[in-house]
Amino acid sequence: MYYEPKRNSSSKIITALLVLIVGVGAFFGGSIYGSLNSEKVLNPGEQPSVEDDSFDKLFEVKEILNATYYKDIDEAALLEGAIKGMVNAVGDPYTVFFNAEEYKDFTDDGAGNYVGIGVIVGIKDDAIVVITPFEGSPAYNAGLRSGDIITQVEGVPYKGSELDKAVNIIRGEEGKPVRLTILRNGTEEEVTIVRASITLVNVQSEMLEGNIGHVTLLQFTEGIAAQVREAVGTLKAQGAKGIILDLRGNPGGFLDEAVGLGSLFIDKGKTILYTLDKGNQKKEYYSAGGDYIGMPLVLLIDEGSASASEVVAGALKDYGAATLVGQKTFGKGIVQMVYNVGDTEGVKVTVSSYYSPKGINIHGEGIHPDVEVKLPEDVQAPLTLENDTQLQKAVEVLRTKMN
């Protein structure tokens, strides 16, 4: 399996959405995302000069505040505010500075238990949009659904650009309620959700009738490609002749895991994706070839399939390695890297855009399925083969491919 060589042993490239699980702030499934020390980003000749006067105004304002403000000033709060203001001024909602508490939440392991409301959110049109609530989570049980817009938290309005602020309010203690205002189909309603402990199992598999294996992938966390490989292998040993890979509601995660997953079904040496960075430099990611090339495959996608999910979907679609069933994906075609700042803080930066093997960038556009199917508006949980119209169509398509 191919993985991109790292610039140091702990660095990771990530591509995902925000997840409201661990107090809502730990992002991208709450997984441990490796990072890079900020001083290693700059070459020796690029280190900031002590004689650089471009930030003199910042220190001038700081002196004015310290000299004239009528109350004591928290110097650490001033510094954090200045840094966050600078990062926010970039104008990219995925480029974010984390203080020590936020960075700890961000880097919490995504494979364990969490306290939160259990919903994945993204930013679209400067709004906080529910991508998917985890089935059985407090958010799901309270009625939140994909496409809902969170307009207020505890009665205070928040835009997409203020996601971090909203996250800080939503996070809290197990058993404590949080009040959200949800916009759905032009109508606002208030929902109170009690935070609870949540356990995530990122890879789930089952055998369906007709020698069909169904593998559901919640997030692209560390080692997930190997887990899917094992799950498919187990199903194949049980008699599966074709696989439905379910990426609905999957917000993404590690880019190298997306490459590893795509490699299971794509010929060795073929491009999974390529990226273009700040200097317009192109970097290609290739398949190492896997055990299941040529196996009949259907990929289930929806508006909650984002980032790393779209990397896989784009590659499989471009090569005709799978039939895509469901709804158009979210549309996040950019990649982030996380850098350590000091001992306890960090900054997440959008470092490149990515493209499918055919050169398609899906940012803001998404990927259209080969066979479009929507879930009924009145579908009741839990989703099973009896009421899941998308899964039913996937089974129908796969049976045709297997014959």
Side-chain angles (χ1 to χ4, degrees):
M1 186 177 297
Y2 172 84
Y3 290 101
E4 183 215 2
K6 306 299 190 300
R7 281 182 284 176
N8 84 2
S9 59
S10 66
S11 68
K12 276 283 188 181
I13 293 180
I14 55 181
T15 169
L17 296 178
L18 296 165
V19 174
L20 304 187
I21 303 174
V22 191
V24 197
F27 126 106
F28 303 150
S31 298
I32 297 176
Y33 288 85
S35 53
L36 201 64
N37 292 331
S38 58
E39 61 267 22
K40 293 183 180 179
V41 179
L42 299 175
N43 295 322
E46 297 174 331
Q47 296 294 340
S49 169
V50 294
E51 298 178 358
D52 185 356
D53 60 1
S54 59
F55 282 82
D56 280 357
K57 285 188 290 185
L58 178 66
F59 294 105
E60 184 178 348
V61 171
K62 176 178 177 292
E63 290 174 5
I64 292 172
L65 289 174
N66 280 327
T68 63
Y69 186 66
Y70 78 109
K71 291 183 178 180
D72 291 338
I73 290 178
D74 185 334
E75 292 283 328
L78 278 186
L79 177 60
E80 181 180 320
I83 295 172
K84 285 200 170 189
M86 178 169 58
V87 173
N88 291 343
V90 171
D92 173 24
Y94 298 101
T95 297
V96 181
F97 174 77
F98 300 109
N99 63 27
E101 181 181 356
E102 293 164 344
Y103 200 38
K104 181 181 181 301
D105 285 341
F106 175 87
T107 54
D108 276 343
D109 188 354
N113 300 322
Y114 302 101
V115 173
I117 65 172
V119 61
I120 299 169
V121 298
I123 302 169
K124 261 194 173 179
D125 300 324
D126 203 21
I128 302 173
V129 181
V130 174
I131 304 306
T132 189
F134 292 116
E135 191 167 330
S137 70
Y140 190 92
N141 293 335
L144 264 66
R145 295 294 180 262
S146 297
D148 289 347
I149 297 174
I150 300 175
T151 60
Q152 297 182 38
V153 180
E154 298 291 358
V156 178
Y158 290 95
K159 299 183 293 185
S161 57
E162 300 172 305
L163 179 62
D164 287 340
K165 295 179 182 178
V167 159
N168 287 335
I169 302 301
I170 299 174
R171 66 159 53 105
E173 299 178 31
E174 183 176 2
K176 299 291 185 180
V178 59
R179 182 165 47 95
L180 306 178
T181 302
I182 303 299
L183 177 64
R184 180 188 299 162
N185 298 326
T187 302
E188 281 193 336
E189 63 175 297
E190 213 170 74
V191 180
T192 298
I193 304 175
V194 178
R195 305 173 183 94
S197 177
I198 300 168
T199 301
L200 294 181
V201 179
N202 285 317
V203 177
Q204 303 169 30
S205 61
E206 61 178 339
M207 279 290 292
L208 304 177
E209 288 186 14
N211 297 322
I212 290 175
H214 178 211
V215 178
T216 301
L217 176 58
L218 294 184
Q219 310 169 80
F220 284 82
T221 49
E222 187 88 44
I224 212 73
Q227 292 180 46
V228 172
R229 179 181 179 276
E230 181 179 354
V232 174
T234 299
L235 291 170
K236 190 175 179 182
Q238 294 173 356
K241 304 299 182 183
I243 295 294
I244 297 171
L245 184 59
D246 198 335
L247 296 183
R248 291 178 294 177
N250 187 314
F254 290 143
L255 180 59
D256 56 4
E257 295 295 340
V259 173
L261 181 58
S263 290
L264 297 177
F265 306 99
I266 293 174
D267 289 335
K268 181 177 180 179
K270 289 195 172 183
T271 299
I272 302 290
L273 79 155
Y274 66 87
T275 61
L276 294 178
D277 66 11
K278 185 182 185 73
N280 210 34
Q281 296 184 66
K282 181 178 179 180
K283 182 167 188 175
E284 295 195 57
Y285 295 76
Y286 301 101
S287 170
D291 298 341
Y292 310 119
I293 294 167
M295 189 173 195
L297 180 67
V298 169
L299 193 67
L300 272 172
I301 56 173
D302 65 8
E303 64 274 15
S305 307
S307 297
S309 292
E310 293 172 297
V311 168
V312 174
L316 293 176
K317 183 172 185 176
D318 279 6
Y319 291 122
T323 301
L324 277 54
V325 174
Q327 294 172 271
K328 186 179 74 168
T329 62
F330 184 82
K332 181 174 180 288
I334 50 179
V335 180
Q336 285 73 43
M337 178 74 96
V338 183
Y339 300 95
N340 294 331
V341 176
D343 296 327
T344 60
E345 298 171 314
V347 61
K348 172 173 62 73
V349 183
T350 298
V351 295
S352 62
S353 54
Y354 72 80
Y355 299 78
S356 75
K358 289 186 176 180
I360 301 170
N361 178 258
I362 53 83
H363 195 62
E365 298 294 332
I367 298 172
H368 289 272
D370 301 303
V371 181
E372 185 171 5
V373 183
K374 294 183 179 180
L375 288 174
E377 291 281 344
D378 58 350
V379 66
Q380 298 294 315
L383 288 178
T384 66
L385 187 56
E386 284 68 38
N387 65 358
D388 187 342
T389 53
Q390 293 174 333
L391 181 57
Q392 291 168 6
K393 176 58 72 171
V395 168
E396 178 187 326
V397 170
L398 187 57
R399 282 178 178 158
T400 301
K401 292 168 69 77
M402 290 164 55
N403 292 334

